Amino acid sequence: MIAEDYYPPPAELFDLELETLEFIGNQHALAGTDLKCIWLRAQEEARKVTRSGSGQINFHADFPVYEPKRIRRVDVGFKVELDESGNAYNEVSYFYCIGEQLECPSRILKKCHFDFEPLANRNHDEPKPSLHFQMPGTLSPGLLGAGYSNEHIDHLAPWSEKPRFPCLPGSLALLLNVLFHEFGEGDNPDLLDIVRQDWWRGLVDRAEQLIYRRYFEACCSHWKNGPAKGTFLRQRLYGLDD
C-alpha cells in the first residue's frame, strides 16, 4: 500500500496556516474592504495559538458577494487539529458555504467541505479517499454559531454522506484564492483586487509549493514506479491494499 506521502507533515501544515493567518491579519488595508471580517478573524485566531506545530487552529469568517439585485453571504473556514505530540493529525477540514441572503441565517444555496482523513484515523471497513470532498456535509460549529440550523440546509440532504470524491489537497489561502477568483468579477472589486496583489500571490505561492507541488510530484511517482494496472485510485487515493 502506498503511504500518504502527498500530504504535508502535520507541523508543516499547521505552521503554514498559522503564518497565513498572521500575514492576513497584518494587512491593515483590508479593514476598509469587504474582507474586513476575514482580517479581524485572522488576527483573533492567530492570537489564540500559543505556538506553532501544536494544538489546533479553528478559523471561520464571512464576506459579502454582490450580485444583480441581491447580496449573498459566503462563509469560509477550516480546522487543523494535531495530537498532543504534534506529529499526527486529529482533524483536517476546510469548508465554504453560500447563503441565499446577506442576513444570517437564510436558506443555504451551496455548502461543501474538503477533508484529509489519514488511514490511521478511520474505519477500514468503510473505503473513502484520504483526500475527499462532500456536498453539502453537516453544519460546522461556526455555522451553527452564526445562526444556521438544520432547517436552512435540510433541502440539500446533509444526511447523505456518499459519494465522497477524491480532491486536491488545500489550505486556507488556496481555498480563499478560488473563492476570490470565482466571485471577483462584476460588482466585487475588493475580491478581484486582492488576487492581483503581490503580497497575496506570494502567500498563495507559499501554499502551492507546500501543498500542490508535493501532491503532484507524489502522483507522478506512482506511474514512474511501474504500478499494477488500475491501482492509482485504489492505492494512492483510497489507500486500499490489494
Side-chain angles (χ1 to χ4, degrees):
M1 183 171 60
I2 296 175
E4 293 160 325
D5 56 348
Y6 51 70
Y7 208 70
E12 290 187 27
L13 180 65
F14 193 98
D15 285 352
L16 172 71
E17 297 299 24
L18 178 56
E19 291 167 10
T20 297
L21 293 178
E22 290 173 338
F23 203 86
I24 292 175
N26 286 329
Q27 305 305 311
H28 296 277
L30 295 179
T33 73
D34 285 330
L35 301 175
K36 181 178 179 179
C37 179
I38 291 178
W39 172 67
L40 287 173
R41 287 292 295 117
Q43 291 179 336
E44 292 170 6
E45 186 60 29
R47 284 196 293 266
K48 294 178 183 178
V49 182
T50 56
R51 64 184 179 88
S52 63
S54 66
Q56 71 174 29
I57 303 176
N58 200 340
F59 174 84
H60 176 211
D62 62 87
F63 60 91
V65 169
Y66 300 90
E67 297 181 353
K69 299 182 180 181
R70 63 178 62 86
I71 309 174
R72 303 203 191 279
R73 171 182 168 123
V74 177
D75 286 74
V76 60
F78 76 93
K79 181 178 181 181
V80 174
E81 180 179 328
L82 309 186
D83 69 359
E84 292 183 358
S85 71
N87 296 320
Y89 290 112
N90 284 340
E91 183 177 354
V92 181
S93 186
Y94 299 82
F95 81 89
Y96 74 87
C97 174
I98 302 174
E100 187 171 27
Q101 300 176 25
L102 179 63
E103 295 76 17
C104 183
S106 69
R107 187 170 181 264
I108 292 175
L109 297 180
K110 294 182 181 180
K111 180 187 172 294
C112 183
H113 72 249
F114 310 83
D115 292 345
F116 173 66
E117 191 171 349
L119 285 167
N121 291 14
R122 67 179 188 258
N123 178 6
H124 289 249
D125 293 330
E126 184 185 15
K128 70 174 73 169
S130 294
L131 280 165
H132 62 265
F133 74 86
Q134 282 180 270
M135 297 180 67
T138 57
L139 293 171
S140 68
L143 290 172
L144 290 169
Y148 285 111
S149 65
N150 288 338
E151 68 178 286
H152 303 109
I153 197 173
D154 275 351
H155 59 285
L156 297 177
W159 44 266
S160 179
E161 295 184 344
K162 298 178 181 180
R164 302 177 182 92
F165 283 94
C167 65
L168 290 174
S171 73
L172 176 62
L174 296 175
L175 176 56
L176 288 175
N177 201 43
V178 170
L179 296 174
F180 294 163
H181 275 87
E182 289 287 323
F183 292 114
E185 298 291 346
D187 298 322
N188 300 282
D190 289 341
L191 307 187
L192 194 59
D193 178 66
I194 193 172
V195 299
R196 295 169 173 163
Q197 298 293 322
D198 287 342
W199 71 266
W200 178 255
R201 292 188 175 182
L203 195 64
V204 170
D205 184 68
R206 166 97 165 86
E208 289 180 341
Q209 291 289 335
L210 178 65
I211 306 293
Y212 286 162
R213 183 172 181 175
R214 184 190 302 269
Y215 176 79
F216 286 112
E217 286 179 346
C219 289
C220 288
S221 72
H222 174 83
W223 279 283
K224 290 180 179 178
N225 293 329
K229 293 179 180 179
T231 58
F232 175 77
L233 183 141
R234 284 185 57 79
Q235 291 186 359
R236 181 161 292 282
L237 302 184
Y238 275 79
L240 297 175
D241 190 353
D242 288 330

